[in-house]
PDB file of all heavy atoms in Angstrom:
ATOM      1  N   MET J 271      -0.163  15.895   5.705  1.00  0.00           N
ATOM      2  CA  MET J 271      -0.734  14.628   6.271  1.00  0.00           C
ATOM      3  C   MET J 271       0.157  13.463   5.883  1.00  0.00           C
ATOM      4  O   MET J 271       0.425  13.136   4.736  1.00  0.00           O
ATOM      5  CB  MET J 271      -2.116  14.459   5.583  1.00  0.00           C
ATOM      6  CG  MET J 271      -3.112  15.420   5.880  1.00  0.00           C
ATOM      7  SD  MET J 271      -4.714  15.179   5.209  1.00  0.00           S
ATOM      8  CE  MET J 271      -5.268  13.661   6.111  1.00  0.00           C
ATOM      9  N   ALA J 272       0.840  13.014   6.915  1.00  0.00           N
ATOM     10  CA  ALA J 272       1.802  11.894   6.765  1.00  0.00           C
ATOM     11  C   ALA J 272       1.811  11.027   7.891  1.00  0.00           C
ATOM     12  O   ALA J 272       1.353  11.304   9.025  1.00  0.00           O
ATOM     13  CB  ALA J 272       3.210  12.537   6.569  1.00  0.00           C
ATOM     14  N   VAL J 273       2.295   9.778   7.766  1.00  0.00           N
ATOM     15  CA  VAL J 273       2.425   8.861   8.865  1.00  0.00           C
ATOM     16  C   VAL J 273       3.634   7.978   8.628  1.00  0.00           C
ATOM     17  O   VAL J 273       4.116   7.734   7.534  1.00  0.00           O
ATOM     18  CB  VAL J 273       1.111   7.921   8.856  1.00  0.00           C
ATOM     19  CG1 VAL J 273       0.985   7.039   7.522  1.00  0.00           C
ATOM     20  CG2 VAL J 273       1.082   7.017  10.063  1.00  0.00           C
ATOM     21  N   THR J 274       4.270   7.661   9.751  1.00  0.00           N
ATOM     22  CA  THR J 274       5.433   6.798   9.690  1.00  0.00           C
ATOM     23  C   THR J 274       5.054   5.315   9.901  1.00  0.00           C
ATOM     24  O   THR J 274       4.182   5.063  10.741  1.00  0.00           O
ATOM     25  CB  THR J 274       6.491   7.191  10.832  1.00  0.00           C
ATOM     26  OG1 THR J 274       6.935   8.493  10.682  1.00  0.00           O
ATOM     27  CG2 THR J 274       7.682   6.217  10.838  1.00  0.00           C
ATOM     28  N   VAL J 275       5.492   4.490   8.995  1.00  0.00           N
ATOM     29  CA  VAL J 275       5.199   3.101   8.973  1.00  0.00           C
ATOM     30  C   VAL J 275       6.496   2.368   9.362  1.00  0.00           C
ATOM     31  O   VAL J 275       7.440   2.470   8.630  1.00  0.00           O
ATOM     32  CB  VAL J 275       4.636   2.582   7.694  1.00  0.00           C
ATOM     33  CG1 VAL J 275       4.222   1.097   7.803  1.00  0.00           C
ATOM     34  CG2 VAL J 275       3.310   3.415   7.305  1.00  0.00           C
ATOM     35  N   ARG J 276       6.438   1.563  10.425  1.00  0.00           N
ATOM     36  CA  ARG J 276       7.623   0.876  10.909  1.00  0.00           C
ATOM     37  C   ARG J 276       7.788  -0.462  10.280  1.00  0.00           C
ATOM     38  O   ARG J 276       6.807  -1.105  10.023  1.00  0.00           O
ATOM     39  CB  ARG J 276       7.575   0.701  12.392  1.00  0.00           C
ATOM     40  CG  ARG J 276       7.474   2.044  13.167  1.00  0.00           C
ATOM     41  CD  ARG J 276       8.715   2.544  13.604  1.00  0.00           C
ATOM     42  NE  ARG J 276       8.551   3.881  14.381  1.00  0.00           N
ATOM     43  CZ  ARG J 276       9.194   4.950  14.055  1.00  0.00           C
ATOM     44  NH1 ARG J 276      10.094   4.974  13.140  1.00  0.00           N
ATOM     45  NH2 ARG J 276       8.941   6.058  14.733  1.00  0.00           N
ATOM     46  N   LYS J 277       9.057  -0.845  10.075  1.00  0.00           N
ATOM     47  CA  LYS J 277       9.390  -2.206   9.615  1.00  0.00           C
ATOM     48  C   LYS J 277       8.627  -2.704   8.427  1.00  0.00           C
ATOM     49  O   LYS J 277       7.966  -3.653   8.405  1.00  0.00           O
ATOM     50  CB  LYS J 277       9.235  -3.173  10.742  1.00  0.00           C
ATOM     51  CG  LYS J 277      10.138  -4.441  10.606  1.00  0.00           C
ATOM     52  CD  LYS J 277      10.113  -5.303  11.850  1.00  0.00           C
ATOM     53  CE  LYS J 277      10.970  -6.458  11.560  1.00  0.00           C
ATOM     54  NZ  LYS J 277      10.782  -7.478  12.694  1.00  0.00           N
ATOM     55  N   VAL J 278       8.709  -1.914   7.269  1.00  0.00           N
ATOM     56  CA  VAL J 278       8.047  -2.268   6.061  1.00  0.00           C
ATOM     57  C   VAL J 278       8.991  -3.268   5.240  1.00  0.00           C
ATOM     58  O   VAL J 278      10.136  -2.986   5.145  1.00  0.00           O
ATOM     59  CB  VAL J 278       7.821  -0.976   5.205  1.00  0.00           C
ATOM     60  CG1 VAL J 278       7.267  -1.378   3.861  1.00  0.00           C
ATOM     61  CG2 VAL J 278       6.860  -0.034   5.962  1.00  0.00           C
ATOM     62  N   LEU J 279       8.389  -4.282   4.836  1.00  0.00           N
ATOM     63  CA  LEU J 279       9.088  -5.276   4.047  1.00  0.00           C
ATOM     64  C   LEU J 279       9.363  -4.682   2.718  1.00  0.00           C
ATOM     65  O   LEU J 279       8.371  -4.287   1.959  1.00  0.00           O
ATOM     66  CB  LEU J 279       8.298  -6.636   3.964  1.00  0.00           C
ATOM     67  CG  LEU J 279       8.923  -7.630   3.031  1.00  0.00           C
ATOM     68  CD1 LEU J 279      10.243  -8.160   3.507  1.00  0.00           C
ATOM     69  CD2 LEU J 279       7.967  -8.773   2.771  1.00  0.00           C
ATOM     70  N   VAL J 280      10.564  -4.668   2.261  1.00  0.00           N
ATOM     71  CA  VAL J 280      10.946  -4.191   0.893  1.00  0.00           C
ATOM     72  C   VAL J 280      11.312  -5.383   0.059  1.00  0.00           C
ATOM     73  O   VAL J 280      12.126  -6.193   0.412  1.00  0.00           O
ATOM     74  CB  VAL J 280      12.193  -3.254   0.935  1.00  0.00           C
ATOM     75  CG1 VAL J 280      12.653  -2.807  -0.326  1.00  0.00           C
ATOM     76  CG2 VAL J 280      11.844  -2.048   1.837  1.00  0.00           C
ATOM     77  N   ASP J 281      10.688  -5.521  -1.095  1.00  0.00           N
ATOM     78  CA  ASP J 281      10.955  -6.540  -2.161  1.00  0.00           C
ATOM     79  C   ASP J 281      11.425  -5.656  -3.320  1.00  0.00           C
ATOM     80  O   ASP J 281      10.575  -5.035  -3.964  1.00  0.00           O
ATOM     81  CB  ASP J 281       9.684  -7.269  -2.354  1.00  0.00           C
ATOM     82  CG  ASP J 281       9.954  -8.302  -3.481  1.00  0.00           C
ATOM     83  OD1 ASP J 281      10.961  -8.341  -4.088  1.00  0.00           O
ATOM     84  OD2 ASP J 281       9.024  -9.187  -3.679  1.00  0.00           O
ATOM     85  N   SER J 282      12.691  -5.857  -3.660  1.00  0.00           N
ATOM     86  CA  SER J 282      13.220  -5.033  -4.806  1.00  0.00           C
ATOM     87  C   SER J 282      12.659  -5.401  -6.139  1.00  0.00           C
ATOM     88  O   SER J 282      12.772  -4.677  -7.164  1.00  0.00           O
ATOM     89  CB  SER J 282      14.775  -5.166  -4.797  1.00  0.00           C
ATOM     90  OG  SER J 282      15.172  -6.469  -5.013  1.00  0.00           O
ATOM     91  N   GLY J 283      11.931  -6.501  -6.243  1.00  0.00           N
ATOM     92  CA  GLY J 283      11.325  -7.033  -7.428  1.00  0.00           C
ATOM     93  C   GLY J 283       9.861  -6.582  -7.636  1.00  0.00           C
ATOM     94  O   GLY J 283       9.263  -6.884  -8.622  1.00  0.00           O
ATOM     95  N   SER J 284       9.308  -5.963  -6.610  1.00  0.00           N
ATOM     96  CA  SER J 284       7.902  -5.594  -6.637  1.00  0.00           C
ATOM     97  C   SER J 284       7.577  -4.363  -7.429  1.00  0.00           C
ATOM     98  O   SER J 284       8.537  -3.405  -7.456  1.00  0.00           O
ATOM     99  CB  SER J 284       7.426  -5.385  -5.210  1.00  0.00           C
ATOM    100  OG  SER J 284       6.001  -5.086  -5.232  1.00  0.00           O
ATOM    101  N   GLU J 285       6.520  -4.215  -8.100  1.00  0.00           N
ATOM    102  CA  GLU J 285       6.098  -3.066  -8.874  1.00  0.00           C
ATOM    103  C   GLU J 285       5.313  -2.049  -7.985  1.00  0.00           C
ATOM    104  O   GLU J 285       5.173  -0.892  -8.401  1.00  0.00           O
ATOM    105  CB  GLU J 285       5.319  -3.461 -10.055  1.00  0.00           C
ATOM    106  CG  GLU J 285       6.210  -4.250 -11.180  1.00  0.00           C
ATOM    107  CD  GLU J 285       5.414  -4.599 -12.321  1.00  0.00           C
ATOM    108  OE1 GLU J 285       4.446  -3.742 -12.658  1.00  0.00           O
ATOM    109  OE2 GLU J 285       5.645  -5.617 -12.937  1.00  0.00           O
ATOM    110  N   PHE J 286       4.742  -2.521  -7.050  1.00  0.00           N
ATOM    111  CA  PHE J 286       3.855  -1.675  -6.160  1.00  0.00           C
ATOM    112  C   PHE J 286       4.318  -1.634  -4.712  1.00  0.00           C
ATOM    113  O   PHE J 286       4.992  -2.619  -4.241  1.00  0.00           O
ATOM    114  CB  PHE J 286       2.362  -2.213  -6.182  1.00  0.00           C
ATOM    115  CG  PHE J 286       1.692  -1.988  -7.523  1.00  0.00           C
ATOM    116  CD1 PHE J 286       1.848  -2.927  -8.470  1.00  0.00           C
ATOM    117  CD2 PHE J 286       1.046  -0.809  -7.738  1.00  0.00           C
ATOM    118  CE1 PHE J 286       1.169  -2.804  -9.650  1.00  0.00           C
ATOM    119  CE2 PHE J 286       0.372  -0.633  -9.000  1.00  0.00           C
ATOM    120  CZ  PHE J 286       0.474  -1.652  -9.955  1.00  0.00           C
ATOM    121  N   THR J 287       3.951  -0.653  -3.875  1.00  0.00           N
ATOM    122  CA  THR J 287       4.230  -0.569  -2.522  1.00  0.00           C
ATOM    123  C   THR J 287       2.947  -0.934  -1.816  1.00  0.00           C
ATOM    124  O   THR J 287       1.912  -0.406  -2.002  1.00  0.00           O
ATOM    125  CB  THR J 287       4.701   0.869  -2.160  1.00  0.00           C
ATOM    126  OG1 THR J 287       5.819   1.125  -2.887  1.00  0.00           O
ATOM    127  CG2 THR J 287       4.972   0.914  -0.697  1.00  0.00           C
ATOM    128  N   TRP J 288       3.083  -1.863  -0.835  1.00  0.00           N
ATOM    129  CA  TRP J 288       1.911  -2.328  -0.085  1.00  0.00           C
ATOM    130  C   TRP J 288       1.940  -1.742   1.355  1.00  0.00           C
ATOM    131  O   TRP J 288       2.966  -2.099   2.057  1.00  0.00           O
ATOM    132  CB  TRP J 288       1.880  -3.860   0.005  1.00  0.00           C
ATOM    133  CG  TRP J 288       1.751  -4.570  -1.344  1.00  0.00           C
ATOM    134  CD1 TRP J 288       2.607  -4.441  -2.379  1.00  0.00           C
ATOM    135  CD2 TRP J 288       0.657  -5.290  -1.728  1.00  0.00           C
ATOM    136  NE1 TRP J 288       2.134  -5.182  -3.437  1.00  0.00           N
ATOM    137  CE2 TRP J 288       0.848  -5.715  -3.063  1.00  0.00           C
ATOM    138  CE3 TRP J 288      -0.595  -5.667  -1.189  1.00  0.00           C
ATOM    139  CZ2 TRP J 288       0.039  -6.532  -3.792  1.00  0.00           C
ATOM    140  CZ3 TRP J 288      -1.437  -6.332  -2.023  1.00  0.00           C
ATOM    141  CH2 TRP J 288      -1.130  -6.811  -3.242  1.00  0.00           C
ATOM    142  N   ILE J 289       1.063  -0.872   1.665  1.00  0.00           N
ATOM    143  CA  ILE J 289       1.016  -0.215   3.046  1.00  0.00           C
ATOM    144  C   ILE J 289      -0.286  -0.652   3.685  1.00  0.00           C
ATOM    145  O   ILE J 289      -1.337  -0.665   3.063  1.00  0.00           O
ATOM    146  CB  ILE J 289       1.094   1.259   2.820  1.00  0.00           C
ATOM    147  CG1 ILE J 289       2.429   1.700   2.195  1.00  0.00           C
ATOM    148  CG2 ILE J 289       1.014   1.952   4.275  1.00  0.00           C
ATOM    149  CD1 ILE J 289       3.717   1.391   2.884  1.00  0.00           C
ATOM    150  N   PRO J 290      -0.259  -0.943   4.974  1.00  0.00           N
ATOM    151  CA  PRO J 290      -1.434  -1.294   5.654  1.00  0.00           C
ATOM    152  C   PRO J 290      -2.515  -0.252   5.598  1.00  0.00           C
ATOM    153  O   PRO J 290      -2.298   0.945   5.620  1.00  0.00           O
ATOM    154  CB  PRO J 290      -1.053  -1.497   7.132  1.00  0.00           C
ATOM    155  CG  PRO J 290       0.431  -1.852   7.055  1.00  0.00           C
ATOM    156  CD  PRO J 290       0.911  -1.073   5.869  1.00  0.00           C
ATOM    157  N   GLU J 291      -3.796  -0.645   5.358  1.00  0.00           N
ATOM    158  CA  GLU J 291      -4.928   0.300   5.060  1.00  0.00           C
ATOM    159  C   GLU J 291      -5.083   1.340   6.198  1.00  0.00           C
ATOM    160  O   GLU J 291      -5.241   2.448   5.881  1.00  0.00           O
ATOM    161  CB  GLU J 291      -6.219  -0.509   4.897  1.00  0.00           C
ATOM    162  CG  GLU J 291      -7.344   0.456   4.497  1.00  0.00           C
ATOM    163  CD  GLU J 291      -8.641  -0.352   4.230  1.00  0.00           C
ATOM    164  OE1 GLU J 291      -8.742  -1.383   4.622  1.00  0.00           O
ATOM    165  OE2 GLU J 291      -9.483   0.245   3.511  1.00  0.00           O
ATOM    166  N   PRO J 292      -4.918   0.926   7.523  1.00  0.00           N
ATOM    167  CA  PRO J 292      -5.123   1.900   8.613  1.00  0.00           C
ATOM    168  C   PRO J 292      -4.075   3.077   8.459  1.00  0.00           C
ATOM    169  O   PRO J 292      -4.401   4.252   8.792  1.00  0.00           O
ATOM    170  CB  PRO J 292      -4.932   1.105   9.899  1.00  0.00           C
ATOM    171  CG  PRO J 292      -5.281  -0.307   9.475  1.00  0.00           C
ATOM    172  CD  PRO J 292      -4.783  -0.399   8.073  1.00  0.00           C
ATOM    173  N   ALA J 293      -2.829   2.765   8.080  1.00  0.00           N
ATOM    174  CA  ALA J 293      -1.813   3.813   7.834  1.00  0.00           C
ATOM    175  C   ALA J 293      -2.183   4.725   6.816  1.00  0.00           C
ATOM    176  O   ALA J 293      -2.037   5.946   6.854  1.00  0.00           O
ATOM    177  CB  ALA J 293      -0.496   3.200   7.692  1.00  0.00           C
ATOM    178  N   LEU J 294      -2.727   4.197   5.693  1.00  0.00           N
ATOM    179  CA  LEU J 294      -3.139   5.000   4.500  1.00  0.00           C
ATOM    180  C   LEU J 294      -4.283   5.951   4.903  1.00  0.00           C
ATOM    181  O   LEU J 294      -4.251   7.076   4.552  1.00  0.00           O
ATOM    182  CB  LEU J 294      -3.488   4.164   3.381  1.00  0.00           C
ATOM    183  CG  LEU J 294      -2.358   3.300   2.732  1.00  0.00           C
ATOM    184  CD1 LEU J 294      -2.929   2.379   1.733  1.00  0.00           C
ATOM    185  CD2 LEU J 294      -1.367   4.223   2.078  1.00  0.00           C
ATOM    186  N   LYS J 295      -5.297   5.347   5.689  1.00  0.00           N
ATOM    187  CA  LYS J 295      -6.332   6.230   6.108  1.00  0.00           C
ATOM    188  C   LYS J 295      -5.808   7.342   7.098  1.00  0.00           C
ATOM    189  O   LYS J 295      -6.341   8.449   6.972  1.00  0.00           O
ATOM    190  CB  LYS J 295      -7.378   5.385   6.819  1.00  0.00           C
ATOM    191  CG  LYS J 295      -8.209   4.513   5.835  1.00  0.00           C
ATOM    192  CD  LYS J 295      -9.276   3.726   6.557  1.00  0.00           C
ATOM    193  CE  LYS J 295     -10.129   3.044   5.551  1.00  0.00           C
ATOM    194  NZ  LYS J 295     -11.272   2.335   6.154  1.00  0.00           N
ATOM    195  N   GLU J 296      -4.889   7.004   7.935  1.00  0.00           N
ATOM    196  CA  GLU J 296      -4.318   8.059   8.827  1.00  0.00           C
ATOM    197  C   GLU J 296      -3.719   9.199   8.025  1.00  0.00           C
ATOM    198  O   GLU J 296      -3.777  10.383   8.431  1.00  0.00           O
ATOM    199  CB  GLU J 296      -3.362   7.419   9.752  1.00  0.00           C
ATOM    200  CG  GLU J 296      -2.832   8.383  10.859  1.00  0.00           C
ATOM    201  CD  GLU J 296      -1.959   7.692  11.896  1.00  0.00           C
ATOM    202  OE1 GLU J 296      -1.979   6.474  11.995  1.00  0.00           O
ATOM    203  OE2 GLU J 296      -1.155   8.456  12.502  1.00  0.00           O
ATOM    204  N   ALA J 297      -3.076   8.851   6.945  1.00  0.00           N
ATOM    205  CA  ALA J 297      -2.371   9.842   6.084  1.00  0.00           C
ATOM    206  C   ALA J 297      -3.373  10.574   5.173  1.00  0.00           C
ATOM    207  O   ALA J 297      -3.005  11.417   4.351  1.00  0.00           O
ATOM    208  CB  ALA J 297      -1.206   9.275   5.341  1.00  0.00           C
ATOM    209  N   GLY J 298      -4.596  10.097   5.091  1.00  0.00           N
ATOM    210  CA  GLY J 298      -5.679  10.674   4.209  1.00  0.00           C
ATOM    211  C   GLY J 298      -5.536  10.214   2.766  1.00  0.00           C
ATOM    212  O   GLY J 298      -6.057  10.889   1.915  1.00  0.00           O
ATOM    213  N   VAL J 299      -4.873   9.046   2.519  1.00  0.00           N
ATOM    214  CA  VAL J 299      -4.674   8.649   1.141  1.00  0.00           C
ATOM    215  C   VAL J 299      -5.965   7.878   0.774  1.00  0.00           C
ATOM    216  O   VAL J 299      -6.412   6.956   1.518  1.00  0.00           O
ATOM    217  CB  VAL J 299      -3.484   7.594   1.133  1.00  0.00           C
ATOM    218  CG1 VAL J 299      -3.384   7.042  -0.237  1.00  0.00           C
ATOM    219  CG2 VAL J 299      -2.171   8.358   1.407  1.00  0.00           C
ATOM    220  N   ARG J 300      -6.497   8.256  -0.285  1.00  0.00           N
ATOM    221  CA  ARG J 300      -7.815   7.574  -0.795  1.00  0.00           C
ATOM    222  C   ARG J 300      -7.611   6.690  -1.897  1.00  0.00           C
ATOM    223  O   ARG J 300      -6.707   6.861  -2.720  1.00  0.00           O
ATOM    224  CB  ARG J 300      -8.855   8.664  -1.119  1.00  0.00           C
ATOM    225  CG  ARG J 300      -8.484   9.582  -2.236  1.00  0.00           C
ATOM    226  CD  ARG J 300      -9.589  10.589  -2.457  1.00  0.00           C
ATOM    227  NE  ARG J 300      -9.320  11.413  -3.619  1.00  0.00           N
ATOM    228  CZ  ARG J 300      -9.609  11.067  -4.868  1.00  0.00           C
ATOM    229  NH1 ARG J 300     -10.204   9.978  -5.126  1.00  0.00           N
ATOM    230  NH2 ARG J 300      -9.285  11.835  -5.921  1.00  0.00           N
ATOM    231  N   ALA J 301      -8.409   5.676  -1.961  1.00  0.00           N
ATOM    232  CA  ALA J 301      -8.393   4.702  -3.127  1.00  0.00           C
ATOM    233  C   ALA J 301      -8.931   5.386  -4.430  1.00  0.00           C
ATOM    234  O   ALA J 301      -9.952   6.089  -4.375  1.00  0.00           O
ATOM    235  CB  ALA J 301      -9.284   3.512  -2.879  1.00  0.00           C
ATOM    236  N   VAL J 302      -8.206   5.328  -5.507  1.00  0.00           N
ATOM    237  CA  VAL J 302      -8.632   5.886  -6.766  1.00  0.00           C
ATOM    238  C   VAL J 302      -8.909   4.829  -7.817  1.00  0.00           C
ATOM    239  O   VAL J 302      -9.699   5.171  -8.804  1.00  0.00           O
ATOM    240  CB  VAL J 302      -7.623   6.946  -7.267  1.00  0.00           C
ATOM    241  CG1 VAL J 302      -7.565   8.121  -6.487  1.00  0.00           C
ATOM    242  CG2 VAL J 302      -6.234   6.303  -7.382  1.00  0.00           C
ATOM    243  N   LYS J 303      -8.358   3.638  -7.692  1.00  0.00           N
ATOM    244  CA  LYS J 303      -8.691   2.571  -8.516  1.00  0.00           C
ATOM    245  C   LYS J 303      -9.059   1.406  -7.610  1.00  0.00           C
ATOM    246  O   LYS J 303      -8.467   1.024  -6.701  1.00  0.00           O
ATOM    247  CB  LYS J 303      -7.513   2.194  -9.349  1.00  0.00           C
ATOM    248  CG  LYS J 303      -7.077   3.242 -10.291  1.00  0.00           C
ATOM    249  CD  LYS J 303      -5.924   2.742 -11.127  1.00  0.00           C
ATOM    250  CE  LYS J 303      -5.442   3.855 -12.073  1.00  0.00           C
ATOM    251  NZ  LYS J 303      -4.242   3.363 -12.837  1.00  0.00           N
ATOM    252  N   LYS J 304     -10.193   0.749  -7.984  1.00  0.00           N
ATOM    253  CA  LYS J 304     -10.768  -0.306  -7.113  1.00  0.00           C
ATOM    254  C   LYS J 304     -10.822  -1.668  -7.957  1.00  0.00           C
ATOM    255  O   LYS J 304     -10.801  -1.596  -9.179  1.00  0.00           O
ATOM    256  CB  LYS J 304     -12.145   0.003  -6.700  1.00  0.00           C
ATOM    257  CG  LYS J 304     -12.170   1.259  -5.825  1.00  0.00           C
ATOM    258  CD  LYS J 304     -13.511   1.565  -5.158  1.00  0.00           C
ATOM    259  CE  LYS J 304     -13.454   2.854  -4.443  1.00  0.00           C
ATOM    260  NZ  LYS J 304     -13.793   2.758  -3.034  1.00  0.00           N
ATOM    261  N   ASP J 305     -10.770  -2.672  -7.300  1.00  0.00           N
ATOM    262  CA  ASP J 305     -10.909  -3.993  -7.836  1.00  0.00           C
ATOM    263  C   ASP J 305      -9.842  -4.332  -8.884  1.00  0.00           C
ATOM    264  O   ASP J 305     -10.155  -4.977  -9.932  1.00  0.00           O
ATOM    265  CB  ASP J 305     -12.285  -4.206  -8.448  1.00  0.00           C
ATOM    266  CG  ASP J 305     -13.349  -4.058  -7.393  1.00  0.00           C
ATOM    267  OD1 ASP J 305     -13.132  -4.474  -6.200  1.00  0.00           O
ATOM    268  OD2 ASP J 305     -14.439  -3.586  -7.702  1.00  0.00           O
ATOM    269  N   LEU J 306      -8.569  -3.957  -8.554  1.00  0.00           N
ATOM    270  CA  LEU J 306      -7.489  -4.362  -9.503  1.00  0.00           C
ATOM    271  C   LEU J 306      -6.947  -5.748  -9.025  1.00  0.00           C
ATOM    272  O   LEU J 306      -6.866  -6.043  -7.851  1.00  0.00           O
ATOM    273  CB  LEU J 306      -6.319  -3.380  -9.392  1.00  0.00           C
ATOM    274  CG  LEU J 306      -6.518  -1.963  -9.930  1.00  0.00           C
ATOM    275  CD1 LEU J 306      -5.358  -1.080  -9.704  1.00  0.00           C
ATOM    276  CD2 LEU J 306      -6.942  -2.049 -11.382  1.00  0.00           C
ATOM    277  N   SER J 307      -6.709  -6.619 -10.015  1.00  0.00           N
ATOM    278  CA  SER J 307      -6.194  -7.937  -9.695  1.00  0.00           C
ATOM    279  C   SER J 307      -4.736  -7.970  -9.667  1.00  0.00           C
ATOM    280  O   SER J 307      -4.047  -7.351 -10.531  1.00  0.00           O
ATOM    281  CB  SER J 307      -6.727  -8.953 -10.757  1.00  0.00           C
ATOM    282  OG  SER J 307      -8.096  -9.041 -10.705  1.00  0.00           O
ATOM    283  N   PHE J 308      -4.201  -8.727  -8.677  1.00  0.00           N
ATOM    284  CA  PHE J 308      -2.799  -8.867  -8.574  1.00  0.00           C
ATOM    285  C   PHE J 308      -2.403 -10.330  -8.422  1.00  0.00           C
ATOM    286  O   PHE J 308      -3.072 -11.043  -7.722  1.00  0.00           O
ATOM    287  CB  PHE J 308      -2.136  -8.161  -7.339  1.00  0.00           C
ATOM    288  CG  PHE J 308      -2.369  -6.716  -7.350  1.00  0.00           C
ATOM    289  CD1 PHE J 308      -3.493  -6.088  -6.884  1.00  0.00           C
ATOM    290  CD2 PHE J 308      -1.432  -5.919  -7.862  1.00  0.00           C
ATOM    291  CE1 PHE J 308      -3.618  -4.618  -6.923  1.00  0.00           C
ATOM    292  CE2 PHE J 308      -1.496  -4.518  -7.978  1.00  0.00           C
ATOM    293  CZ  PHE J 308      -2.610  -3.846  -7.508  1.00  0.00           C
ATOM    294  N   LEU J 309      -1.364 -10.785  -9.246  1.00  0.00           N
ATOM    295  CA  LEU J 309      -0.928 -12.156  -9.146  1.00  0.00           C
ATOM    296  C   LEU J 309       0.252 -12.269  -8.106  1.00  0.00           C
ATOM    297  O   LEU J 309       1.238 -11.600  -8.367  1.00  0.00           O
ATOM    298  CB  LEU J 309      -0.450 -12.631 -10.511  1.00  0.00           C
ATOM    299  CG  LEU J 309       0.073 -14.089 -10.577  1.00  0.00           C
ATOM    300  CD1 LEU J 309      -1.037 -15.080 -10.149  1.00  0.00           C
ATOM    301  CD2 LEU J 309       0.578 -14.421 -11.938  1.00  0.00           C
ATOM    302  N   MET J 310       0.017 -12.969  -7.039  1.00  0.00           N
ATOM    303  CA  MET J 310       1.034 -13.019  -6.039  1.00  0.00           C
ATOM    304  C   MET J 310       2.101 -14.119  -6.456  1.00  0.00           C
ATOM    305  O   MET J 310       1.863 -14.888  -7.337  1.00  0.00           O
ATOM    306  CB  MET J 310       0.364 -13.527  -4.718  1.00  0.00           C
ATOM    307  CG  MET J 310      -0.838 -12.600  -4.304  1.00  0.00           C
ATOM    308  SD  MET J 310      -0.272 -10.888  -4.012  1.00  0.00           S
ATOM    309  CE  MET J 310       0.597 -11.124  -2.483  1.00  0.00           C
ATOM    310  N   ALA J 311       3.217 -14.050  -5.742  1.00  0.00           N
ATOM    311  CA  ALA J 311       4.335 -14.985  -6.002  1.00  0.00           C
ATOM    312  C   ALA J 311       3.988 -16.470  -5.845  1.00  0.00           C
ATOM    313  O   ALA J 311       4.444 -17.322  -6.429  1.00  0.00           O
ATOM    314  CB  ALA J 311       5.578 -14.648  -5.070  1.00  0.00           C
TER     315      ALA J 311
END
């Protein structure tokens, strides 16, 4: 179960990878941790 995501912005200083939810659902990736807080730039 895999999906190709086109033109993903890469930030070499980021600790996490951000993928659009519809793509994750298509690949069958499920959320395992909810309500995590992230401080944006």
Side-chain angles (χ1 to χ4, degrees):
M271 294 182 69
V273 64
T274 299
V275 181
R276 305 265 180 229
K277 204 172 177 188
V278 174
L279 173 67
V280 176
D281 178 351
S282 61
S284 180
E285 294 181 31
F286 291 90
T287 302
W288 297 66
I289 301 293
E291 186 177 20
L294 295 172
K295 285 184 176 183
E296 185 177 340
V299 176
R300 64 181 181 85
V302 290
K303 295 182 182 179
K304 298 185 186 235
D305 300 326
L306 293 178
S307 295
F308 294 91
L309 179 61
M310 305 299 288

